[in-house]
Amino acid sequence: MQRNNLSNINTNKVYQDKLSTQMSTQKKVSRPSDDPVVSIRALRLRSNVTEVTQYYSKNIPDAESWLDVTEDALKNLTEIITNMIKQCTKASNGDLKSADRQIILEQLKALGDEVYSTGDADYAGRYVFTGYRTDTSLSFDKEYNTKYEITEQLDNSSITQLTKIDTGKLLDITAANYNNANNSKITEQDIKSTEVYRIQLAYDDCRDKNANPAAAPSISFYEKDPVTGEAVMKEPTWDSTMFTIKSSTEDPYTEAAKNDDALIYVPDTGEILLGRNRYDKLMACKDDPSTSGKNEGEIRVTYQKDHWVKGDLRPEHYFACTSTDADQKVTKYNQEYLKGDAAKQVIEYDVGFNQTIQVNSTADECFQHGIGRTVDDLVQAMQDVVDLENVKTKIEGLQETATGTDAETLTKQMEAVEKALTLAKDKCQKMFESGITTFQGYLDDANLCVTNCGTRSSKLELIDNRMKSQKTTFETLKSENEDIDVTETAIDLKSAEMTYEAALMATGKVMQTTLLNFI
């Protein structure tokens, strides 16, 4: 009887201690053995609450900030390109004055300088348009002398036709030399307009800092193997020794127009000029829709560039390339691009259970090289007109006092200037009219990026709202599973205390009774 009473009293005491612990902790269990079912459920719910808190409090706000920075930069880009279109619209007017042309010229130069600066937007020290290389800016921040071997992957749409006006020595005319032996012979017949095919590379100034001769590029494309009949990327008969390298101060354009087999590299301007036969050969490169994983229309141009100035786009963000620094350290970038199965450098955030969202837009989607190269062409075309107008003004001033032979010379020179100016204005007007369409294409690309960014932001907002709801739900379930009912537990504790005291009193009375009382 004593052992049974002590055991029962101890059981009541343990139960009372359990209830007392629950009252002090406000939790149903303090260790897994108290209630394994509740404990397991509590661990799962706590994990869910922790995950939701991570998504809701950290990942989603971080993703929102990244998207906001990206969207602001893209909107700025669309504004810049829109202004470029406005300038092209103004310049396509044939009745512009010299002052108007100069204003347009300055505006285009400023817009061209600004467009890629926008691409260097960063969030918390991470550049948002450079893919996985978030620690590397989109453009060079200062002058560098690093050798890059760049492979551009193009197609025949990259081959364009360029009008080049040969003005001879017309632009060299001054008040001091207009009647010398060379300039006095300038006539209207010396002014010629040439049409030439070209591939415009992503970069100009492809010489090194010491102006050493540029290395010749190479052109590769798909041709059928005579044995297997399979299309193979190779450099069949177009090795680098066939290139003629010309300076922009020479006249490679006329030579390319006259020679059907011309293959001329102008490193100063970053152009490859093609004769008619070369043009026809490259235009025949077309993709075969019956094959997968291979683009038979691809044309690869590999060339070198050693000198970089502030604002130049870093090639590692766009092309398969290899860099060699001053210490002869070689670094290869994007070699997978040459295999045709390159995956896009997408940065994703975990924002929900088994749910991710892309937060980045890559530079090749919106900050294409073509924007700056088109601006360069338009600026050069406008500058040619401005320079010729300045020569015309000089000759008009000289004609006011000239007599005799000098007057005849100036008349012939004026005729030559008038012809050159007519051709240059016509070329300039057509280029700016074409520029409207070109920039509109870039604007469409930028608007598409803005739309995609906005769509991701809208999706993220929906996820954010759902995470708020899930957080509340999980916290409620967690509370229901772990937290005690204070009223019920208090009553149970009071009842346990009364039971314990009653048991002590009853045991005390029972233990006082002796065996004689029962005889």
Side-chain angles (χ1 to χ4, degrees):
M1 288 176 64
Q2 180 181 0
R3 285 194 299 271
N4 288 338
N5 287 335
L6 287 174
S7 176
N8 292 331
I9 289 173
N10 187 59
T11 300
N12 288 334
K13 191 63 178 177
V14 170
Y15 179 58
Q16 183 182 351
D17 179 62
K18 177 182 177 181
L19 294 174
S20 179
T21 302
Q22 289 180 350
M23 282 296 295
S24 62
T25 61
Q26 302 291 301
K27 300 295 181 182
K28 293 179 181 178
V29 295
S30 57
R31 60 179 65 87
S33 59
D34 291 344
D35 191 327
V37 175
V38 171
S39 299
I40 292 173
R41 191 183 298 122
L43 290 173
R44 290 175 179 172
L45 289 173
R46 286 186 181 186
S47 297
N48 290 337
V49 171
T50 302
E51 289 181 19
V52 170
T53 302
Q54 174 70 30
Y55 298 141
Y56 173 69
S57 302
K58 296 181 180 180
N59 292 19
I60 291 178
D62 200 18
E64 285 177 342
S65 299
W66 187 296
L67 288 171
D68 288 343
V69 171
T70 302
E71 188 171 2
D72 289 342
L74 290 173
K75 286 181 178 178
N76 193 24
L77 174 64
T78 60
E79 184 177 346
I80 293 172
I81 298 177
T82 300
N83 287 334
M84 288 180 175
I85 294 174
K86 291 179 180 177
Q87 297 303 320
C88 288
T89 304
K90 292 179 183 178
S92 61
N93 182 359
D95 298 327
L96 290 174
K97 297 179 180 179
S98 296
D100 297 330
R101 288 192 175 89
Q102 195 63 45
I103 292 173
I104 293 173
L105 200 59
E106 296 302 322
Q107 289 285 341
L108 277 177
K109 288 180 180 178
L111 291 170
D113 292 338
E114 179 63 24
V115 65
Y116 296 129
S117 298
T118 305
D120 282 324
D122 70 286
Y123 167 62
R126 296 175 292 173
Y127 294 98
V128 298
F129 293 107
T130 56
Y132 297 151
R133 301 182 184 92
T134 56
D135 60 340
T136 307
S137 60
L138 182 65
S139 59
F140 288 97
D141 57 352
K142 61 181 180 179
E143 185 176 358
Y144 282 90
N145 294 310
T146 303
K147 179 181 176 181
Y148 277 84
E149 183 174 89
I150 304 166
T151 299
E152 291 192 36
Q153 295 170 271
L154 311 171
D155 55 33
N156 56 25
S157 65
S158 302
I159 305 174
T160 57
Q161 195 168 19
L162 174 69
T163 301
K164 195 70 177 179
I165 300 171
D166 183 8
T167 58
K169 299 182 180 297
L170 199 59
L171 297 177
D172 299 331
I173 293 178
T174 64
N177 66 10
Y178 76 93
N179 56 358
N180 64 18
N182 291 325
N183 292 337
S184 62
K185 298 179 181 179
I186 295 176
T187 64
E188 184 180 354
Q189 284 70 32
D190 295 326
I191 309 303
K192 299 176 183 178
S193 178
T194 304
E195 299 287 336
V196 62
Y197 299 106
R198 70 164 180 177
I199 295 176
Q200 188 179 38
L201 302 176
Y203 300 99
D204 60 2
D205 189 22
C206 297
R207 294 179 181 271
D208 66 21
K209 62 175 181 175
N210 298 316
N212 292 327
S218 64
I219 298 180
S220 304
F221 51 90
Y222 280 98
E223 283 194 333
K224 287 189 176 181
D225 187 280
V227 178
T228 64
E230 182 183 359
V232 179
M233 173 66 70
K234 57 183 179 178
E235 194 179 341
T237 57
W238 291 30
D239 60 20
S240 59
T241 60
M242 299 189 68
F243 273 93
T244 302
I245 302 177
K246 295 281 188 179
S247 169
S248 59
T249 57
E250 302 175 83
D251 182 22
Y253 303 95
T254 301
E255 181 179 340
K258 290 180 178 179
N259 183 2
D260 289 342
D261 292 323
L263 193 60
I264 302 174
Y265 179 45
V266 188
D268 299 348
T269 60
E271 294 175 306
I272 296 176
L273 308 181
L274 307 169
R276 183 71 196 190
N277 292 339
R278 308 296 190 186
Y279 168 77
D280 291 339
K281 184 68 174 178
L282 291 178
M283 290 302 291
C285 296
K286 296 181 180 178
D287 186 26
D288 185 356
S290 63
T291 61
S292 60
K294 182 187 296 185
N295 179 13
E296 288 81 3
E298 180 181 327
I299 301 170
R300 295 180 183 175
V301 180
T302 302
Y303 60 99
Q304 295 179 0
K305 180 173 170 64
D306 300 65
H307 183 58
W308 307 88
V309 297
K310 182 179 179 180
D312 283 342
L313 294 174
R314 290 181 176 272
E316 59 262 38
H317 298 312
Y318 294 88
F319 309 114
C321 58
T322 303
S323 71
T324 306
D325 61 16
D327 298 327
Q328 299 303 308
K329 178 183 178 182
V330 177
T331 306
K332 294 186 177 182
Y333 301 97
N334 309 321
Q335 297 303 304
E336 65 275 10
Y337 288 5
L338 303 178
K339 299 177 182 179
D341 57 352
K344 193 173 180 181
Q345 294 185 354
V346 173
I347 297 177
E348 295 181 328
Y349 272 68
D350 288 325
V351 292
F353 296 103
N354 296 323
Q355 188 170 19
T356 60
I357 190 168
Q358 180 181 342
V359 297
N360 73 318
S361 298
T362 52
D364 59 339
E365 295 177 318
C366 42
F367 292 94
Q368 298 99 322
H369 287 79
I371 301 175
R373 298 295 271 155
T374 302
V375 170
D376 291 342
D377 280 348
L378 296 178
V379 166
Q380 186 59 55
M382 184 66 78
Q383 188 65 56
D384 290 343
V385 175
V386 171
D387 291 343
L388 287 169
E389 287 180 334
N390 291 337
V391 173
K392 180 180 178 181
T393 301
K394 291 178 185 178
I395 294 176
E396 287 175 342
L398 293 170
Q399 283 181 320
E400 294 178 359
T401 58
T403 59
T405 305
D406 287 347
E408 293 178 1
T409 298
L410 290 170
T411 299
K412 292 179 181 180
Q413 291 172 347
M414 179 59 77
E415 290 174 353
V417 170
E418 292 286 0
K419 179 180 179 181
L421 201 52
T422 300
L423 292 173
K425 285 182 178 179
D426 181 65
K427 171 190 172 182
C428 186
Q429 184 175 1
K430 289 180 179 178
M431 287 189 68
F432 275 93
E433 288 174 351
S434 175
I436 295 174
T437 303
T438 302
F439 284 130
Q440 187 60 54
Y442 292 127
L443 181 61
D444 292 341
D445 292 340
N447 283 330
L448 179 60
C449 288
V450 173
T451 301
N452 290 337
C453 191
T455 301
R456 294 166 192 156
S457 296
S458 299
K459 180 180 178 182
L460 190 61
E461 185 178 354
L462 294 175
I463 296 173
D464 186 25
N465 293 333
R466 190 172 72 250
M467 286 297 106
K468 289 179 183 178
S469 177
Q470 287 186 351
K471 186 171 184 289
T472 302
T473 300
F474 283 130
E475 286 179 342
T476 301
L477 291 174
K478 175 176 171 290
S479 177
E480 291 176 352
N481 181 65
E482 297 182 21
D483 297 345
I484 63 170
D485 185 331
V486 177
T487 303
E488 181 180 348
T489 305
I491 294 173
D492 289 343
L493 178 59
K494 192 64 177 177
S495 177
E497 291 175 352
M498 293 175 62
T499 302
Y500 175 69
E501 292 174 358
L504 287 177
M505 293 173 62
T507 301
K509 290 185 178 295
V510 168
M511 298 308 295
Q512 290 176 1
T513 304
T514 65
L515 185 60
L516 295 176
N517 295 110
F518 295 96
I519 297 176

